[in-house]
Amino acid sequence: MEILNLFVEGHARSKGSMVCQGGKHHHMIESVTQSKPWRNRVQAAIVRHVRALANGEISASQSHAGPVNVELVFTFDRPEGCDLPYPTIAGGSDALGDLDKLTRNILDALQGCGLISNDANVVLIAAMKLWTDQVPGAKQGVEIKVSTAPELNR
């Protein structure tokens, strides 16, 4: 069963590592400065989408506690003069971001807004990075599809 099918426009950011900053009164910050704002943007888009469909908040009954599948397609604007077939680090700073860390940020957003109760319940992830010019009508951002995992025989 489909739980979510949503495109969030914007420059996708990877989940940075946590680094300790400060002396005596140290605190932890993410190494990618735009990671948290991007995650917050994704969370807000999910909440708006679910509210529009359900005329209200994401409630405990809408938070999925069972196993789920997640499909992600990240699209990036191709830098001028770049002829690489995929957005890899060789494509320039607009394509930076390890696919696993881009994915982690989306999983944190799905859990952070309450759509899934815990990202440990994700049993299948399919993710890819493409240039926007490879997908007709595409904008920079991420397409997120979440569905319940099929029942398996024991």
Side-chain angles (χ1 to χ4, degrees), residues 3 63-65 68 70 107 110-112 114-119 122 146:
I3 298 168
S63 184
H64 296 274
V68 296
V70 176
L107 296 180
L110 291 169
Q111 180 177 321
L115 188 70
I116 59 175
S117 62
N118 192 313
D119 61 10
V122 176
V146 181

Side-chain angles (χ1 to χ4, degrees), residues 102-115:
L102 288 164
T103 300
R104 261 180 40 207
N105 220 10
I106 301 303
L107 296 180
D108 286 353
L110 291 169
Q111 180 177 321
C113 72
L115 188 70

Side-chain angles (χ1 to χ4, degrees), residues 29-123:
I29 62 167
E30 291 188 45
S31 61
V32 177
T33 58
Q34 293 301 313
S35 176
K36 188 173 182 179
W38 169 247
R39 186 169 55 254
N40 291 342
R41 181 181 185 150
V42 171
Q43 283 181 204
I46 293 168
V47 170
R48 278 192 309 273
H49 182 74
V50 171
R51 282 182 184 163
L53 294 176
N55 296 320
E57 299 285 328
I58 296 179
S59 66
S61 65
Q62 292 170 297
S63 184
H64 296 274
V68 296
N69 299 336
V70 176
E71 297 175 50
L72 304 169
V73 178
F74 296 93
T75 46
F76 295 91
D77 289 337
R78 186 189 296 266
E80 200 165 312
C82 177
D83 61 353
L84 294 172
Y86 291 99
T88 60
I89 195 163
S93 63
D94 288 340
L96 289 178
D98 295 352
L99 189 56
D100 63 322
K101 291 184 178 182
L102 288 164
T103 300
R104 261 180 40 207
N105 220 10
I106 301 303
L107 296 180
D108 286 353
L110 291 169
Q111 180 177 321
C113 72
L115 188 70
I116 59 175
S117 62
N118 192 313
D119 61 10
N121 290 332
V122 176
V123 296

Side-chain angles (χ1 to χ4, degrees), residues 67-69 123-124 148-154:
V68 296
N69 299 336
V123 296
L124 179 134
T148 55
E151 293 282 329
L152 295 178
N153 294 331
R154 293 182 181 208

Side-chain angles (χ1 to χ4, degrees), residues 7-10 73-78 130-143:
F7 179 79
V8 181
E9 188 174 349
V73 178
F74 296 93
T75 46
F76 295 91
D77 289 337
R78 186 189 296 266
L130 295 171
W131 298 117
T132 53
D133 61 11
Q134 293 172 312
V135 182
K139 295 180 181 177
Q140 188 165 247
V142 61
E143 181 180 353

